[in-house]
Amino acid sequence: MNMKTILVIGAGRSSSSLIDYLLKQSEVHEWKIIVGDASIEAARSKINLHKNGTPIAFDIQQNESHAIIGEADLVISLLPPPFHPIVAVQCLKYSKHLLTASYVSDEMKAFDKEAREKHLIFLNECGLDPGIDHMSAMQVIDKIRSNGGTLLSFHSFTGGLIAADTDPENPWRYKFTWNPRNVVMAGQGTAKFLHEGKFKYIPYQQLFKRTTQVRVEGGDYEGYANRDSLKYIETYGLQGIKSMLRGTLRNKGFCAAWNVLVQLGCCDDTYEMDAVEAMSHADFLNSFLPENNSNIKQKLKEIPGLINSNEIDFLDWSGFFDDTPVGLNRGTPAQILEHILNKKWKLNESDKDQIVMWHRFVYEHEKKTKEIQSSLVATGSDSVYTAMAKTVGLPLAIAAKLILLGKIKSRGVVIPIDKEIYNPVLEELKTVGIVFHETES
Amino acid sequence: MNMKTILVIGAGRSSSSLIDYLLKQSEVHEWKIIVGDASIEAARSKINLHKNGTPIAFDIQQNESHAIIGEADLVISLLPPPFHPIVAVQCLKYSKHLLTASYVSDEMKAFDKEAREKHLIFLNECGLDPGIDHMSAMQVIDKIRSNGGTLLSFHSFTGGLIAADTDPENPWRYKFTWNPRNVVMAGQGTAKFLHEGKFKYIPYQQLFKRTTQVRVEGGDYEGYANRDSLKYIETYGLQGIKSMLRGTLRNKGFCAAWNVLVQLGCCDDTYEMDAVEAMSHADFLNSFLPENNSNIKQKLKEIPGLINSNEIDFLDWSGFFDDTPVGLNRGTPAQILEHILNKKWKLNESDKDQIVMWHRFVYEHEKKTKEIQSSLVATGSDSVYTAMAKTVGLPLAIAAKLILLGKIKSRGVVIPIDKEIYNPVLEELKTVGIVFHETES
């Protein structure tokens, strides 16, 4: 008997569904699942006494931790992206496959040759976004091409939101289901995309104003452009495409309200504010407002073009006009903002999140212009088995199974844009309710 | 006889009045004036065959150039700020005084102890802004204090503009009289100031909208806040002051029109644009505008809050709606913007620039609140003897004279905030028409 071992590094927010799936599969395939985390308690709680699971204390920055990689057949790293190369070096040393849900960094790319030589697959970008977005898009793109069509335009938006029955009074329809710091810093820099053959640029100060309205399965959303929509033109083989835009989805009203914070400079992470220890929520907002004697809401309304609808209500719900102390001794605007937002945006135990993904493909087929829309709505079960944890973790878990069963032949540093990966992964995702709906016109 | 030698390094834009003054003084005091520049032709043209002047080729990045510092008694560096420390090291080596018009960097500050030990003065921030602003402000501040007053608030604005009879059709009332790149990048980051005891922050995206109206000697101007208004609280000895704001002056309308470029992202220097070689002025602007079929002017008007007055006319005058090719093969938005602006904002030979400086001091004296306003308007003679060259160069030149004549006793790394420097410099500046007007109320 050849009992296989999977090592999962990281037992945080996005690991619950992944570990559950692997433990269930371990009963069928006689696998051993080792879960390593800096907190062995976190690892233990995810394994929940399953007979095939072993929790261990694992600290990527301690060399003694690395030897365990030698005992695995396949490693899934859920660590923050900067740590993946350290794991990759050990995987090369011990000849182990590696899976991540993170973007391929230049450092990761450099391992391609050695991984191929050792017949290893280093599969990255195999979560939700990046991950399911690649797989679901490439499945449609490959179908259009194999039917002789030519893609003219590709738009794709993904958002991690909250379900309709969660926090019904929360006007943002949003809570932190992912790294809160990344949410606060989102969009800084300039978004770049392609529109009808022209390069287009949206700076941060316009980003949350220039949104795209999107209707997905009966729901109305708005999307803002991601930083670089162009880099997947080559990856997806879309050279010559006229329009290409990837973005982030939010519920209606979110972007206009978030734009208020952006315009005021509340998301700035480049300097520390003064007198933070004595600062209230209202003081925080007021320090970015003109120095006249109007009250804060009035000042916001007096800034031309800033308040156009119910943005004040959003800020009010988040407590920005309260005299509550911030509760930090120091911090950049971004750090203080995150701290204030987290008081209302932290996921409660019974909260359900919701993932919404939407693609639109416009293509030419036999001299006619046609369109396919493809969409996914996935809802979490609670604050542990979130839609985010399912959609990030299950593609990794399914890919891990396929690799151990010898069903994936690709080797080297890859992302899931090839049929042999995306077809079986998307097929199995359907069985757990992660299903794309397609409409053609 | 003890014939003194002054070495001026840099014969660029701001050197004309400085070198002229020194050559004239050389006739009285029997000085030798060496002018070094990477282009010996530039040095020669500034000396204009004066018998006491010697042009030399000088390259700060070539060690062979440094020996000439040993032949001087005093060095004036007009090099870009990053080069001053290289000059300073040589001045310490050869025991020579050093003058610059640049902000004291941490590197420069570190030379203080050694300069004192060698009885040298390294006088920095002795141009216009920084320079005349320090001197004129400290003269008033010291007067208020010596009369028993307490300063409550200090506002100070300076602008390098153009004279009324220059380019009468130019709606910006502005041309490049200083480093164009710094003009394009101005205000990036967050402006920080103090208002009635509260710290206030203005991010870049609000900076050109939150202007202060200023009336100076019959002219109406608007000012935007400088990056850090707080750092001079300690330098000027203003601990406990309630309001402190330093800023940049522009003619009315400038900021609203510049704000359009800021909002669109045209001043971004963090990425290179695509397809620059085929880009027209209009293409440049359009690449930042929404992807609908309106014409460019219409698109600008459709962005909420962007166009409120005659901003379109300003952009039109600068050629932003023209099909003229940009004329660059590559570039960041900021580089392309500078290139387009320079086509109309380059100073012509007969153009006259104008410096406007304005201070307002509010203070308490014998339980009454009083106010002093102090202002300077200086006009250039032509595109060589600009007001900028006079106001940057003459304070340096006068200070150099005072040092060589033994009238300044300060040693170490200093800025001109001490009576022994500002009184004689301001007094002599009056004789060349650089005069502050004071009003009290």
Side-chain angles (χ1 to χ4, degrees), chain A residues 190 192-193 195 199-201 203 205-206 210 262-265 268 271 273-274 286-291 303, chain B residues 190 192-193 195 199-201 203 205-206 210 262-265 268 271 273-274 286-291 303:
Chain A
T190 292
K192 185 169 155 181
F193 63 99
H195 176 76
F199 293 102
K200 288 284 189 175
Y201 308 89
Q205 56 268 35
Q206 294 297 319
R210 263 171 76 180
V262 169
Q263 295 304 324
L264 297 183
D268 195 330
Y271 68 93
M273 297 185 78
D274 298 271
N286 206 17
S287 65
F288 301 105
L289 288 168
E291 48 282 5
I303 297 178
Chain B
T190 292
K192 185 168 153 182
F193 63 99
H195 177 76
F199 293 102
K200 289 285 190 173
Y201 309 88
Q205 55 269 34
Q206 293 297 319
R210 263 171 75 180
V262 169
Q263 295 305 323
L264 297 182
D268 195 331
Y271 68 93
M273 298 185 78
D274 299 271
N286 206 16
S287 65
F288 301 104
L289 288 169
E291 48 283 3
I303 297 177

Short mmCIF file of all heavy atoms in Angstrom, two decimals, chain A residues 190 192-193 195 199-201 203 205-206 210 262-265 268 271 273-274 286-291 303, chain B residues 190 192-193 195 199-201 203 205-206 210 262-265 268 271 273-274 286-291 303:
data_model
loop_
_atom_site.label_atom_id
_atom_site.label_comp_id
_atom_site.label_asym_id
_atom_site.label_seq_id
_atom_site.Cartn_x
_atom_site.Cartn_y
_atom_site.Cartn_z
N THR A 190 -3.03 53.09 -10.27
CA THR A 190 -3.87 53.44 -11.42
C THR A 190 -4.37 52.17 -12.09
O THR A 190 -3.60 51.26 -12.33
CB THR A 190 -3.06 54.28 -12.42
OG1 THR A 190 -2.78 55.55 -11.83
CG2 THR A 190 -3.81 54.49 -13.72
N LYS A 192 -5.68 50.07 -15.21
CA LYS A 192 -5.32 50.11 -16.64
C LYS A 192 -6.15 49.05 -17.33
O LYS A 192 -6.21 47.91 -16.88
CB LYS A 192 -3.83 49.75 -16.70
CG LYS A 192 -3.16 49.82 -18.01
CD LYS A 192 -1.66 49.70 -17.76
CE LYS A 192 -0.94 49.16 -18.95
NZ LYS A 192 0.52 49.02 -18.68
N PHE A 193 -6.81 49.42 -18.41
CA PHE A 193 -7.57 48.43 -19.16
C PHE A 193 -7.63 48.81 -20.63
O PHE A 193 -7.03 49.81 -21.06
CB PHE A 193 -8.97 48.24 -18.56
CG PHE A 193 -9.84 49.47 -18.61
CD1 PHE A 193 -10.81 49.62 -19.59
CD2 PHE A 193 -9.70 50.48 -17.66
CE1 PHE A 193 -11.63 50.74 -19.63
CE2 PHE A 193 -10.50 51.61 -17.70
CZ PHE A 193 -11.46 51.74 -18.69
N HIS A 195 -10.13 49.43 -23.99
CA HIS A 195 -11.51 49.66 -24.42
C HIS A 195 -11.52 49.99 -25.91
O HIS A 195 -10.95 50.99 -26.34
CB HIS A 195 -12.14 50.81 -23.64
CG HIS A 195 -13.53 51.14 -24.13
ND1 HIS A 195 -14.62 50.36 -23.82
CD2 HIS A 195 -13.99 52.15 -24.92
CE1 HIS A 195 -15.69 50.87 -24.40
NE2 HIS A 195 -15.34 51.95 -25.08
N PHE A 199 -5.95 52.07 -24.91
CA PHE A 199 -5.57 51.91 -23.52
C PHE A 199 -6.27 52.97 -22.68
O PHE A 199 -6.30 54.15 -23.06
CB PHE A 199 -4.06 52.04 -23.36
CG PHE A 199 -3.31 50.92 -24.00
CD1 PHE A 199 -2.68 51.10 -25.23
CD2 PHE A 199 -3.24 49.68 -23.39
CE1 PHE A 199 -1.99 50.06 -25.83
CE2 PHE A 199 -2.56 48.63 -23.99
CZ PHE A 199 -1.93 48.81 -25.21
N LYS A 200 -6.81 52.57 -21.56
CA LYS A 200 -7.52 53.49 -20.67
C LYS A 200 -6.93 53.40 -19.27
O LYS A 200 -6.52 52.31 -18.83
CB LYS A 200 -9.01 53.11 -20.62
CG LYS A 200 -9.75 53.44 -21.91
CD LYS A 200 -10.01 54.93 -22.00
CE LYS A 200 -10.93 55.30 -23.14
NZ LYS A 200 -11.23 56.74 -23.10
N TYR A 201 -6.92 54.53 -18.57
CA TYR A 201 -6.31 54.60 -17.24
C TYR A 201 -7.29 55.30 -16.29
O TYR A 201 -7.82 56.35 -16.61
CB TYR A 201 -5.02 55.41 -17.30
CG TYR A 201 -4.07 54.93 -18.37
CD1 TYR A 201 -4.14 55.43 -19.68
CD2 TYR A 201 -3.11 53.96 -18.10
CE1 TYR A 201 -3.29 54.97 -20.67
CE2 TYR A 201 -2.25 53.49 -19.08
CZ TYR A 201 -2.35 54.00 -20.37
OH TYR A 201 -1.51 53.55 -21.35
N PRO A 203 -7.25 56.75 -12.43
CA PRO A 203 -6.48 56.94 -11.19
C PRO A 203 -7.38 56.65 -9.99
O PRO A 203 -8.61 56.65 -10.10
CB PRO A 203 -6.09 58.41 -11.25
CG PRO A 203 -7.22 59.06 -11.95
CD PRO A 203 -7.69 58.05 -12.98
N GLN A 205 -8.29 58.39 -7.56
CA GLN A 205 -9.27 59.42 -7.20
C GLN A 205 -10.53 59.38 -8.08
O GLN A 205 -11.51 60.04 -7.76
CB GLN A 205 -8.64 60.83 -7.18
CG GLN A 205 -7.95 61.25 -8.47
CD GLN A 205 -6.47 60.91 -8.48
OE1 GLN A 205 -6.08 59.88 -7.93
NE2 GLN A 205 -5.65 61.73 -9.12
N GLN A 206 -10.51 58.61 -9.17
CA GLN A 206 -11.70 58.45 -10.01
C GLN A 206 -12.30 57.05 -9.89
O GLN A 206 -13.43 56.81 -10.34
CB GLN A 206 -11.36 58.69 -11.49
CG GLN A 206 -10.94 60.10 -11.83
CD GLN A 206 -12.04 61.11 -11.58
OE1 GLN A 206 -13.20 60.86 -11.88
NE2 GLN A 206 -11.69 62.26 -11.01
N ARG A 210 -16.06 55.84 -11.25
CA ARG A 210 -16.27 55.33 -12.62
C ARG A 210 -16.59 53.85 -12.56
O ARG A 210 -15.81 52.99 -12.99
CB ARG A 210 -15.02 55.59 -13.45
CG ARG A 210 -15.20 56.86 -14.27
CD ARG A 210 -13.93 57.24 -14.93
NE ARG A 210 -13.61 56.43 -16.09
CZ ARG A 210 -12.52 56.62 -16.81
NH1 ARG A 210 -11.68 57.59 -16.51
NH2 ARG A 210 -12.28 55.87 -17.85
N VAL A 262 -12.15 57.79 0.24
CA VAL A 262 -11.00 57.95 -0.67
C VAL A 262 -10.72 59.42 -0.91
O VAL A 262 -9.57 59.88 -0.82
CB VAL A 262 -11.28 57.24 -2.02
CG1 VAL A 262 -10.22 57.61 -3.07
CG2 VAL A 262 -11.33 55.73 -1.83
N GLN A 263 -11.75 60.19 -1.22
CA GLN A 263 -11.55 61.61 -1.55
C GLN A 263 -10.96 62.37 -0.36
O GLN A 263 -10.17 63.29 -0.53
CB GLN A 263 -12.86 62.27 -1.99
CG GLN A 263 -13.43 61.72 -3.29
CD GLN A 263 -12.47 61.80 -4.45
OE1 GLN A 263 -11.70 62.75 -4.58
NE2 GLN A 263 -12.46 60.79 -5.30
N LEU A 264 -11.39 62.00 0.85
CA LEU A 264 -10.91 62.73 2.04
C LEU A 264 -9.48 62.35 2.41
O LEU A 264 -8.84 63.05 3.19
CB LEU A 264 -11.84 62.47 3.23
CG LEU A 264 -13.27 62.96 3.06
CD1 LEU A 264 -14.05 62.71 4.35
CD2 LEU A 264 -13.31 64.45 2.72
N GLY A 265 -8.98 61.24 1.88
CA GLY A 265 -7.62 60.82 2.21
C GLY A 265 -7.58 59.83 3.37
O GLY A 265 -6.51 59.59 3.93
N ASP A 268 -5.08 56.66 3.20
CA ASP A 268 -3.64 56.92 3.02
C ASP A 268 -2.85 56.12 4.05
O ASP A 268 -3.15 56.15 5.23
CB ASP A 268 -3.39 58.42 3.18
CG ASP A 268 -2.03 58.84 2.66
OD1 ASP A 268 -1.09 58.03 2.69
OD2 ASP A 268 -1.91 59.99 2.22
N TYR A 271 1.65 58.05 6.02
CA TYR A 271 2.13 58.86 7.16
C TYR A 271 1.30 58.53 8.39
O TYR A 271 0.16 58.08 8.28
CB TYR A 271 2.04 60.36 6.85
CG TYR A 271 0.62 60.86 6.74
CD1 TYR A 271 -0.04 61.41 7.84
CD2 TYR A 271 -0.09 60.77 5.54
CE1 TYR A 271 -1.35 61.85 7.74
CE2 TYR A 271 -1.40 61.20 5.43
CZ TYR A 271 -2.02 61.74 6.53
OH TYR A 271 -3.31 62.17 6.45
N MET A 273 -0.78 59.74 11.67
CA MET A 273 -1.52 60.91 12.10
C MET A 273 -1.03 61.36 13.48
O MET A 273 -0.39 60.61 14.20
CB MET A 273 -3.02 60.60 12.14
CG MET A 273 -3.56 60.26 10.76
SD MET A 273 -5.36 60.03 10.73
CE MET A 273 -5.93 61.74 10.77
N ASP A 274 -1.35 62.60 13.82
CA ASP A 274 -0.96 63.16 15.11
C ASP A 274 -2.09 63.00 16.12
O ASP A 274 -3.27 62.96 15.74
CB ASP A 274 -0.63 64.65 14.95
CG ASP A 274 0.54 64.86 14.00
OD1 ASP A 274 1.67 64.88 14.48
OD2 ASP A 274 0.31 64.98 12.77
N ASN A 286 -13.14 64.49 10.82
CA ASN A 286 -13.05 65.95 10.80
C ASN A 286 -11.65 66.45 10.47
O ASN A 286 -11.49 67.54 9.91
CB ASN A 286 -13.50 66.51 12.16
CG ASN A 286 -14.03 67.92 12.03
OD1 ASN A 286 -14.36 68.38 10.94
ND2 ASN A 286 -14.10 68.62 13.15
N SER A 287 -10.64 65.65 10.79
CA SER A 287 -9.28 66.11 10.52
C SER A 287 -9.00 66.19 9.02
O SER A 287 -8.02 66.80 8.60
CB SER A 287 -8.25 65.22 11.22
OG SER A 287 -8.31 63.93 10.70
N PHE A 288 -9.88 65.59 8.21
CA PHE A 288 -9.73 65.67 6.75
C PHE A 288 -10.69 66.68 6.13
O PHE A 288 -10.74 66.82 4.91
CB PHE A 288 -10.00 64.30 6.12
CG PHE A 288 -9.09 63.22 6.62
CD1 PHE A 288 -9.53 62.27 7.51
CD2 PHE A 288 -7.76 63.19 6.20
CE1 PHE A 288 -8.68 61.28 7.98
CE2 PHE A 288 -6.90 62.21 6.66
CZ PHE A 288 -7.36 61.25 7.56
N LEU A 289 -11.45 67.38 6.98
CA LEU A 289 -12.50 68.27 6.45
C LEU A 289 -12.11 69.74 6.60
O LEU A 289 -11.28 70.08 7.45
CB LEU A 289 -13.82 67.98 7.17
CG LEU A 289 -14.44 66.64 6.76
CD1 LEU A 289 -15.56 66.24 7.68
CD2 LEU A 289 -14.93 66.71 5.31
N PRO A 290 -12.70 70.59 5.79
CA PRO A 290 -12.34 72.01 5.82
C PRO A 290 -12.52 72.61 7.21
O PRO A 290 -13.37 72.17 8.00
CB PRO A 290 -13.31 72.64 4.82
CG PRO A 290 -13.64 71.54 3.88
CD PRO A 290 -13.67 70.30 4.72
N GLU A 291 -11.71 73.64 7.47
CA GLU A 291 -11.64 74.24 8.80
C GLU A 291 -12.68 75.35 8.94
O GLU A 291 -12.33 76.51 9.17
CB GLU A 291 -10.22 74.73 9.08
CG GLU A 291 -9.57 75.56 8.00
CD GLU A 291 -9.05 74.75 6.82
OE1 GLU A 291 -9.26 73.51 6.76
OE2 GLU A 291 -8.44 75.37 5.97
N ILE A 303 -18.79 69.87 0.17
CA ILE A 303 -17.70 69.57 -0.78
C ILE A 303 -18.32 69.22 -2.13
O ILE A 303 -19.08 68.26 -2.23
CB ILE A 303 -16.81 68.42 -0.26
CG1 ILE A 303 -16.14 68.84 1.05
CG2 ILE A 303 -15.78 68.01 -1.30
CD1 ILE A 303 -15.28 67.78 1.70
N THR B 190 0.32 64.17 1.16
CA THR B 190 -0.74 64.79 1.94
C THR B 190 -0.22 66.05 2.62
O THR B 190 0.85 66.02 3.21
CB THR B 190 -1.26 63.78 3.00
OG1 THR B 190 -1.92 62.71 2.34
CG2 THR B 190 -2.23 64.44 3.97
N LYS B 192 -0.23 68.81 5.49
CA LYS B 192 -0.49 68.71 6.93
C LYS B 192 -0.33 70.10 7.51
O LYS B 192 0.67 70.78 7.23
CB LYS B 192 0.59 67.78 7.47
CG LYS B 192 0.52 67.41 8.90
CD LYS B 192 1.51 66.25 9.10
CE LYS B 192 2.01 66.21 10.53
NZ LYS B 192 2.99 65.13 10.72
N PHE B 193 -1.30 70.58 8.28
CA PHE B 193 -1.16 71.89 8.91
C PHE B 193 -1.93 71.93 10.21
O PHE B 193 -2.52 70.91 10.63
CB PHE B 193 -1.60 72.99 7.94
CG PHE B 193 -3.05 72.95 7.53
CD1 PHE B 193 -3.99 73.77 8.15
CD2 PHE B 193 -3.47 72.09 6.53
CE1 PHE B 193 -5.32 73.73 7.78
CE2 PHE B 193 -4.80 72.04 6.16
CZ PHE B 193 -5.73 72.87 6.78
N HIS B 195 -4.79 74.02 12.53
CA HIS B 195 -5.86 75.03 12.51
C HIS B 195 -6.56 75.07 13.86
O HIS B 195 -7.16 74.08 14.27
CB HIS B 195 -6.87 74.72 11.40
CG HIS B 195 -8.01 75.68 11.39
ND1 HIS B 195 -7.90 76.96 10.89
CD2 HIS B 195 -9.28 75.57 11.85
CE1 HIS B 195 -9.05 77.59 11.02
NE2 HIS B 195 -9.91 76.77 11.62
N PHE B 199 -4.86 69.30 14.25
CA PHE B 199 -4.09 68.88 13.08
C PHE B 199 -5.05 68.65 11.92
O PHE B 199 -6.11 68.03 12.10
CB PHE B 199 -3.32 67.59 13.36
CG PHE B 199 -2.23 67.78 14.37
CD1 PHE B 199 -2.39 67.36 15.68
CD2 PHE B 199 -1.05 68.40 14.01
CE1 PHE B 199 -1.39 67.55 16.62
CE2 PHE B 199 -0.04 68.59 14.93
CZ PHE B 199 -0.22 68.17 16.25
N LYS B 200 -4.69 69.15 10.76
CA LYS B 200 -5.54 69.01 9.57
C LYS B 200 -4.73 68.39 8.44
O LYS B 200 -3.52 68.67 8.31
CB LYS B 200 -6.04 70.40 9.14
CG LYS B 200 -7.08 70.99 10.09
CD LYS B 200 -8.41 70.30 9.88
CE LYS B 200 -9.54 70.98 10.61
NZ LYS B 200 -10.83 70.36 10.23
N TYR B 201 -5.40 67.59 7.61
CA TYR B 201 -4.74 66.88 6.53
C TYR B 201 -5.52 67.08 5.24
O TYR B 201 -6.74 66.89 5.22
CB TYR B 201 -4.67 65.38 6.85
CG TYR B 201 -4.10 65.10 8.22
CD1 TYR B 201 -4.91 65.05 9.34
CD2 TYR B 201 -2.72 64.92 8.39
CE1 TYR B 201 -4.39 64.81 10.61
CE2 TYR B 201 -2.19 64.68 9.64
CZ TYR B 201 -3.02 64.63 10.75
OH TYR B 201 -2.50 64.39 12.00
N PRO B 203 -5.48 65.59 1.39
CA PRO B 203 -4.83 64.70 0.43
C PRO B 203 -4.74 65.38 -0.94
O PRO B 203 -5.45 66.36 -1.21
CB PRO B 203 -5.76 63.50 0.38
CG PRO B 203 -7.11 64.08 0.62
CD PRO B 203 -6.91 65.21 1.59
N GLN B 205 -5.87 64.66 -3.74
CA GLN B 205 -7.10 64.77 -4.53
C GLN B 205 -8.02 65.90 -4.07
O GLN B 205 -8.98 66.23 -4.75
CB GLN B 205 -7.85 63.42 -4.58
CG GLN B 205 -8.20 62.80 -3.23
CD GLN B 205 -7.12 61.85 -2.74
OE1 GLN B 205 -5.93 62.08 -2.99
NE2 GLN B 205 -7.50 60.81 -2.02
N GLN B 206 -7.73 66.52 -2.91
CA GLN B 206 -8.52 67.68 -2.46
C GLN B 206 -7.72 68.97 -2.54
O GLN B 206 -8.27 70.07 -2.41
CB GLN B 206 -8.95 67.49 -0.99
CG GLN B 206 -9.93 66.35 -0.76
CD GLN B 206 -11.24 66.57 -1.47
OE1 GLN B 206 -11.76 67.68 -1.51
NE2 GLN B 206 -11.77 65.52 -2.08
N ARG B 210 -9.23 72.86 -2.20
CA ARG B 210 -9.35 73.54 -0.91
C ARG B 210 -8.34 74.67 -0.83
O ARG B 210 -7.39 74.65 -0.07
CB ARG B 210 -9.11 72.55 0.22
CG ARG B 210 -10.44 72.03 0.75
CD ARG B 210 -10.26 70.91 1.70
NE ARG B 210 -9.78 71.33 3.00
CZ ARG B 210 -9.56 70.47 3.99
NH1 ARG B 210 -9.74 69.18 3.79
NH2 ARG B 210 -9.14 70.89 5.15
N VAL B 262 -5.18 66.85 -12.16
CA VAL B 262 -4.94 66.01 -10.98
C VAL B 262 -6.01 64.92 -10.89
O VAL B 262 -5.71 63.74 -10.72
CB VAL B 262 -4.95 66.85 -9.69
CG1 VAL B 262 -4.97 65.96 -8.44
CG2 VAL B 262 -3.74 67.78 -9.66
N GLN B 263 -7.27 65.31 -11.02
CA GLN B 263 -8.36 64.34 -10.88
C GLN B 263 -8.29 63.25 -11.94
O GLN B 263 -8.62 62.10 -11.67
CB GLN B 263 -9.73 65.05 -10.96
CG GLN B 263 -10.00 66.02 -9.83
CD GLN B 263 -9.88 65.40 -8.44
OE1 GLN B 263 -10.25 64.25 -8.24
NE2 GLN B 263 -9.33 66.14 -7.50
N LEU B 264 -7.86 63.62 -13.15
CA LEU B 264 -7.82 62.64 -14.23
C LEU B 264 -6.63 61.69 -14.10
O LEU B 264 -6.60 60.66 -14.75
CB LEU B 264 -7.77 63.34 -15.59
CG LEU B 264 -8.99 64.19 -15.94
CD1 LEU B 264 -8.83 64.78 -17.34
CD2 LEU B 264 -10.28 63.37 -15.87
N GLY B 265 -5.65 62.05 -13.28
CA GLY B 265 -4.47 61.19 -13.13
C GLY B 265 -3.33 61.58 -14.05
O GLY B 265 -2.38 60.81 -14.23
N ASP B 268 0.46 61.55 -12.68
CA ASP B 268 0.99 60.32 -12.11
C ASP B 268 2.36 60.02 -12.73
O ASP B 268 2.52 60.06 -13.95
CB ASP B 268 0.00 59.18 -12.42
CG ASP B 268 0.26 57.94 -11.59
OD1 ASP B 268 1.42 57.69 -11.21
OD2 ASP B 268 -0.70 57.22 -11.32
N TYR B 271 3.91 55.03 -13.54
CA TYR B 271 3.87 54.00 -14.58
C TYR B 271 4.04 54.66 -15.94
O TYR B 271 3.75 55.84 -16.11
CB TYR B 271 2.55 53.21 -14.54
CG TYR B 271 1.35 54.03 -14.93
CD1 TYR B 271 0.89 54.06 -16.26
CD2 TYR B 271 0.68 54.82 -14.01
CE1 TYR B 271 -0.19 54.84 -16.63
CE2 TYR B 271 -0.40 55.60 -14.36
CZ TYR B 271 -0.83 55.61 -15.68
OH TYR B 271 -1.90 56.39 -16.06
N MET B 273 2.93 55.06 -19.82
CA MET B 273 1.74 54.86 -20.64
C MET B 273 2.06 53.99 -21.86
O MET B 273 3.22 53.83 -22.22
CB MET B 273 1.17 56.21 -21.08
CG MET B 273 0.73 57.05 -19.90
SD MET B 273 -0.09 58.60 -20.38
CE MET B 273 -1.72 58.00 -20.81
N ASP B 274 1.02 53.45 -22.48
CA ASP B 274 1.19 52.62 -23.66
C ASP B 274 0.99 53.45 -24.92
O ASP B 274 0.26 54.44 -24.91
CB ASP B 274 0.17 51.47 -23.63
CG ASP B 274 0.36 50.57 -22.43
OD1 ASP B 274 1.13 49.61 -22.54
OD2 ASP B 274 -0.24 50.86 -21.37
N ASN B 286 -7.78 61.99 -23.43
CA ASN B 286 -8.88 61.04 -23.61
C ASN B 286 -8.61 59.69 -22.96
O ASN B 286 -9.54 59.00 -22.55
CB ASN B 286 -9.15 60.84 -25.11
CG ASN B 286 -10.59 60.42 -25.37
OD1 ASN B 286 -11.45 60.54 -24.49
ND2 ASN B 286 -10.84 59.88 -26.54
N SER B 287 -7.34 59.34 -22.84
CA SER B 287 -7.03 58.03 -22.24
C SER B 287 -7.39 58.00 -20.76
O SER B 287 -7.45 56.93 -20.15
CB SER B 287 -5.56 57.66 -22.46
OG SER B 287 -4.73 58.55 -21.79
N PHE B 288 -7.64 59.17 -20.17
CA PHE B 288 -8.06 59.22 -18.76
C PHE B 288 -9.57 59.44 -18.62
O PHE B 288 -10.06 59.58 -17.50
CB PHE B 288 -7.33 60.36 -18.03
CG PHE B 288 -5.83 60.22 -18.07
CD1 PHE B 288 -5.06 61.00 -18.92
CD2 PHE B 288 -5.21 59.28 -17.27
CE1 PHE B 288 -3.68 60.86 -18.95
CE2 PHE B 288 -3.82 59.13 -17.30
CZ PHE B 288 -3.06 59.93 -18.15
N LEU B 289 -10.26 59.50 -19.75
CA LEU B 289 -11.69 59.85 -19.70
C LEU B 289 -12.58 58.64 -19.95
O LEU B 289 -12.15 57.66 -20.55
CB LEU B 289 -11.97 60.95 -20.73
CG LEU B 289 -11.38 62.31 -20.31
CD1 LEU B 289 -11.43 63.30 -21.46
CD2 LEU B 289 -12.13 62.86 -19.11
N PRO B 290 -13.82 58.72 -19.47
CA PRO B 290 -14.72 57.57 -19.61
C PRO B 290 -14.87 57.14 -21.07
O PRO B 290 -14.75 57.96 -21.99
CB PRO B 290 -16.05 58.11 -19.07
CG PRO B 290 -15.66 59.17 -18.10
CD PRO B 290 -14.44 59.81 -18.72
N GLU B 291 -15.16 55.85 -21.24
CA GLU B 291 -15.19 55.23 -22.55
C GLU B 291 -16.57 55.34 -23.17
O GLU B 291 -17.21 54.34 -23.47
CB GLU B 291 -14.71 53.78 -22.46
CG GLU B 291 -15.31 52.92 -21.38
CD GLU B 291 -14.75 53.18 -19.99
OE1 GLU B 291 -13.90 54.09 -19.81
OE2 GLU B 291 -15.18 52.50 -19.08
N ILE B 303 -18.26 64.76 -15.92
CA ILE B 303 -17.72 64.23 -14.65
C ILE B 303 -18.19 65.13 -13.51
O ILE B 303 -17.88 66.32 -13.50
CB ILE B 303 -16.18 64.16 -14.70
CG1 ILE B 303 -15.75 63.18 -15.79
CG2 ILE B 303 -15.61 63.76 -13.34
CD1 ILE B 303 -14.25 63.07 -15.98
#
